[in-house]
Amino acid sequence: MKKNILVTGSSRGIGLAIAEKLLHEGNNVVLNGRNKKTLIKIKKTNPLFDYVVGDFSFPKQSKSIIRKTIKILGKLDVLVCNIGESKSCQPNQETYKEWKKMFEQNFFTATNAIEDSKKELIRSKGSIVCISSGAGNKFIKGAPITYSTAKAALTFYGKCLAHYLGNYGVRLNIVAPGNTMFKGSTWDKKIKKNKSKVKRLIKDTVPLNRFGTTEEIADLVSYLISDKAKFVNGSVFTVDGGQTI
């Protein structure tokens, strides 16, 4: 059955891969990002996409994005909260500024989107998928504490809210990717600087000895929003090649 979907933070990387997968499956998909030129470029490549420009870390903009999305789609069946930022200070060098930035980008972008679309999703008995991180599930040496903590908050928020939204027929699940490679990603930049060091790190920490792909994350999201997963709620799916076993 065709669904009406908003994917936040979908102008690149994991978010764009999710949007492309869901569009390819015949759904109506609205992209979201802060850079209008980037979104226009994507739409030129695939005119079936719609888009709404805006930043979900600002409550007023969040409300506006949701309102415009519903106007475009008519109703909202699926919300994918994908916005995230992993670049932060080194562990044990945290500042208030970094804490604020990490929670705005990794936590409040999702809570704002969900709160503003909750009534519409209850009306459609829809579903939500939050893209968190393996670093929010278990300690990963070297991962920014600010980022890991914000993602841990997102994961726990999602698990708790799934209980209450479930009473209204709305499912909420969490996907926690590990090291995922795509053009322009943090790992893409690191491997260009020191390929041998990154390869050694992946070999030492990831049992499958490789990066994940954006398509693999998109495949899981596709399943979670489908009727095949209609009894799946409040679950966390880790996709990290076994790094946090």
Side-chain angles (χ1 to χ4, degrees), residues 87-89 95-103 146:
K87 189 177 180 181
S88 186
C89 57
T95 63
Y96 172 75
K97 184 178 180 180
E98 281 301 307
W99 282 114
K100 184 173 183 290
K101 183 181 82 172
M102 286 293 101
F103 267 83
T146 48

Side-chain angles (χ1 to χ4, degrees), residues 179-238:
N179 305 312
T180 307
M181 178 63 74
F182 57 88
K183 186 177 180 181
S185 68
T186 299
W187 285 113
D188 183 36
K189 294 172 184 176
K190 286 183 177 180
I191 208 165
K192 286 176 180 176
K193 288 183 179 180
N194 195 328
K195 187 175 182 179
S196 60
K197 182 180 179 181
V198 172
K199 289 183 71 175
R200 187 167 61 251
L201 175 66
I202 295 300
K203 184 177 180 180
D204 291 344
T205 60
V206 182
L208 290 185
N209 190 23
R210 69 173 178 87
F211 286 99
T213 68
T214 57
E215 291 76 18
E216 288 167 325
I217 306 303
D219 285 342
L220 179 55
V221 173
S222 173
Y223 164 72
L224 290 173
I225 71 164
S226 74
D227 290 341
K228 294 178 182 179
K230 58 186 178 182
F231 199 56
V232 181
N233 185 42
S235 296
V236 181
F237 295 84
T238 303

Side-chain angles (χ1 to χ4, degrees), residues 107 132-133 136-137 150-160 174 176 236:
F107 183 70
S132 185
S133 169
N137 295 344
K151 286 299 191 183
L154 174 61
T155 296
F156 197 71
Y157 162 78
K159 290 171 70 175
C160 292
I174 302 102
V236 181

Side-chain angles (χ1 to χ4, degrees), residues 12-191:
R12 62 192 287 268
I14 292 174
L16 180 56
I18 292 169
E20 289 175 335
K21 171 76 174 178
L22 301 182
L23 185 74
H24 179 72
E25 291 176 341
N27 299 293
N28 301 315
V29 181
V30 170
L31 302 170
N32 160 254
R34 294 175 294 184
N35 190 314
K36 186 175 182 178
K37 289 182 179 179
T38 302
L39 294 171
I40 290 173
K41 187 176 179 181
I42 297 169
K43 184 170 174 61
K44 283 182 178 178
T45 304
N46 196 330
L48 292 176
F49 276 126
D50 283 298
Y51 67 84
V52 178
V53 181
D55 188 339
F56 272 101
S57 64
F58 296 100
K60 286 185 179 179
Q61 289 193 41
S62 174
K63 287 180 173 59
S64 176
I65 297 165
I66 295 298
R67 185 171 61 251
K68 289 176 182 177
T69 297
I70 294 170
K71 186 176 181 180
I72 291 169
L73 297 174
K75 68 169 187 168
L76 186 64
D77 300 306
V78 176
L79 172 67
V80 180
C81 298
N82 170 73
I83 299 170
E85 172 59 67
S86 62
K87 189 177 180 181
S88 186
C89 57
Q90 292 295 313
N92 205 31
Q93 294 181 14
E94 294 75 36
T95 63
Y96 172 75
K97 184 178 180 180
E98 281 301 307
W99 282 114
K100 184 173 183 290
K101 183 181 82 172
M102 286 293 101
F103 267 83
E104 284 177 346
Q105 290 300 309
N106 296 291
F107 183 70
F108 292 122
T109 50
T111 60
N112 287 339
I114 292 170
E115 292 304 312
D116 292 333
S117 61
K118 195 162 36 177
K119 288 182 180 179
E120 183 66 24
L121 290 167
I122 289 172
R123 192 175 296 117
S124 66
K125 294 191 183 300
S127 63
I128 302 167
V129 177
C130 292
I131 307 301
S132 185
S133 169
N137 295 344
K138 291 187 178 181
F139 170 73
I140 296 178
K141 186 177 180 181
I145 295 174
T146 48
Y147 171 73
S148 300
T149 304
K151 286 299 191 183
L154 174 61
T155 296
F156 197 71
Y157 162 78
K159 290 171 70 175
C160 292
L161 191 61
H163 170 82
Y164 298 100
L165 289 181
N167 293 323
Y168 297 97
V170 178
R171 298 184 299 108
L172 191 161
N173 291 290
I174 302 102
V175 175
N179 305 312
T180 307
M181 178 63 74
F182 57 88
K183 186 177 180 181
S185 68
T186 299
W187 285 113
D188 183 36
K189 294 172 184 176
K190 286 183 177 180
I191 208 165

